[in-house]
Amino acid sequence: MVDADSARTAKAVQQRTGRTFHLATRLLPERIRHPTYVLYAFFRVADEVVDRADDTPASVRRDRLDQIRAAVLDDAATDDPVVAAFRTLCADHDVDDEEVAVFLDAMESDVDRARYDTFADLREYMRGSAVAVGNMMMTVMDVPDPESARPHAAALAEAFQLTNFLRDVREDVRDYGRVYLPQETLAEHGVTEADLADATVTDGFRDAMADEFSRAERLYREGVAGIRYLPADCRFAVLLSATLYAEHHRLIRDRDYDVLTATPELSRSRRLRVLARTWWHWRRRPDPEAAFYAASPVPERSSGTEPPVGVPDSGHPI
């Protein structure tokens, strides 16, 4: 069992770095809430190894990821309380080593890779950066029918990740030299690397963002459809996570897709309004899909023009 000090450290990491997700986590039952703090903190520890804007050599970052991998998968010594807590959690909940390895592989790829030619390439990366996270959360929740839930969990995890990518275009380019928008999408709309670096919001950039938002919203629809497979006392918290992440779409569309001159963020008051709105619709009709479409900006039916995303199969992207 994770000790109390490590659990508090993990919770503090989430409070500091994940305010949106922290609000939803607080609504999970206690048996899930504290493991979720540990999961999130571990993901942040690994992410912060590679997301450094300083001149730390790539070899040093890879070495640190190797140390984390050895500590979790090979029981090597570690002085990091979050890593130690995550290792304990994996043992307590029988978290699949493959999911941990795939996640760390994705983090390592961020050390050297900064562009993705196609959405299929990006989706391969998200198998580790997003889908593995969703799979670990399902394990901690002890989902009764994981085979039915898994493809939906994969889609929802990818939707969250895509929303983050679309929100953080400015930060990723400016601070890390990365572009997560598929190169094929940028080329289709005549968007150049110089446009991104110079924060030039062209009509082509707006069109590219609109295409990727539509793709993400197809994934939200697929993902939210699986919330019904989760334990009953976890459904509202996951629903709230979805409405909170999707609220970024409303915020960014209100800015006419300008995420280059500033990084849009949900204020505390806006997060609380989304919570109240989601709760009201949930109380009226405790159906995850109905509440999501009532509370979020994602339309229930597609426009028929979204780029294809494929159908998740057993939690693995196509």
Side-chain angles (χ1 to χ4, degrees):
M1 181 178 294
V2 175
D3 66 81
D5 287 344
S6 295
R8 281 193 292 270
T9 298
K11 180 179 179 180
V13 170
Q14 193 190 69
Q15 287 175 311
R16 174 175 55 85
T17 63
R19 289 173 294 178
T20 297
F21 192 54
H22 181 66
L23 178 59
T25 302
R26 290 172 61 185
L27 299 177
L28 287 167
E30 186 174 358
R31 74 179 192 284
I32 308 299
R33 188 186 324 131
H34 294 292
T36 300
Y37 290 145
V38 173
L39 284 174
Y40 182 92
F42 175 75
F43 301 146
R44 288 301 308 173
V45 164
D47 195 49
E48 287 174 0
V49 170
V50 296
D51 278 358
R52 298 178 66 104
D54 59 21
D55 295 327
T56 301
S59 60
V60 172
R61 288 182 256 186
R62 282 192 291 268
D63 286 347
R64 177 56 184 148
L65 287 173
D66 286 343
Q67 292 168 8
I68 293 173
R69 189 187 301 265
V72 175
L73 298 179
D74 300 325
D75 207 28
T78 180
D79 58 1
D80 189 316
V82 170
V83 174
F86 178 74
R87 179 171 62 193
T88 300
L89 179 146
C90 289
D92 289 347
H93 293 272
D94 197 22
V95 173
D96 190 341
D97 284 353
E98 180 186 356
E99 300 300 332
V100 179
V102 169
F103 168 75
L104 290 171
D105 288 345
M107 296 301 97
E108 186 171 353
S109 75
D110 269 338
V111 176
D112 300 306
R113 186 170 187 177
R115 303 291 185 276
Y116 295 86
D117 290 338
T118 67
F119 179 71
D121 295 332
L122 183 63
R123 208 169 192 196
E124 183 178 350
Y125 166 76
M126 290 194 295
R127 168 64 183 97
S129 68
V131 176
V133 172
N135 288 343
M136 284 186 256
M137 275 297 302
M138 281 207 310
T139 297
V140 168
M141 286 183 182
D142 195 19
V143 173
D145 184 2
E147 291 309 307
S148 295
R150 187 169 291 115
H152 298 285
L156 192 58
E158 290 174 334
F160 289 174
Q161 180 84 89
L162 286 178
T163 295
N164 282 344
F165 288 158
L166 293 165
R167 179 196 64 196
D168 295 339
V169 174
R170 175 175 182 263
E171 178 183 338
D172 287 332
V173 171
R174 182 194 62 191
D175 295 345
Y176 310 116
R178 297 195 196 117
V179 178
Y180 289 108
L181 291 172
Q183 295 295 299
E184 64 180 2
T185 301
L186 297 176
E188 178 183 353
H189 295 289
V191 181
T192 68
E193 295 267 338
D195 292 335
L196 303 182
D198 296 339
T200 303
V201 183
T202 64
D203 288 341
F205 178 77
R206 293 187 178 93
D207 290 342
M209 289 286 290
D211 278 0
E212 294 305 316
F213 265 80
S214 295
R215 197 194 312 264
E217 289 176 355
R218 287 186 63 183
L219 289 165
Y220 275 103
R221 285 190 284 272
E222 173 67 18
V224 169
I227 292 177
R228 66 183 183 272
Y229 294 115
L230 303 180
D233 58 359
C234 296
R235 291 172 192 164
F236 179 74
V238 176
L239 169 65
L240 178 60
S241 293
T243 56
L244 284 167
Y245 271 84
E247 185 69 12
H248 287 91
H249 292 212
R250 194 192 317 271
L251 183 65
I252 292 169
R253 283 183 171 127
D254 286 347
R255 293 176 54 86
D256 198 16
Y257 296 107
D258 177 9
V259 293
L260 294 180
T261 61
T263 298
E265 295 184 1
L266 298 181
S267 65
R268 182 175 182 273
S269 62
R270 189 157 187 160
R271 293 195 301 271
L272 293 176
R273 288 198 301 272
V274 173
L275 168 60
R277 184 166 65 239
T278 306
W279 177 246
W280 189 82
H281 287 292
W282 178 254
R283 287 299 299 264
R284 287 184 66 232
R285 185 180 176 189
D287 174 273
E289 290 181 89
F292 177 74
Y293 295 124
S296 83
V298 176
E300 184 172 359
R301 293 179 178 82
S302 72
S303 65
T305 61
E306 287 97 333
V309 294
V311 179
D313 178 12
S314 300
H316 297 268
I318 295 173

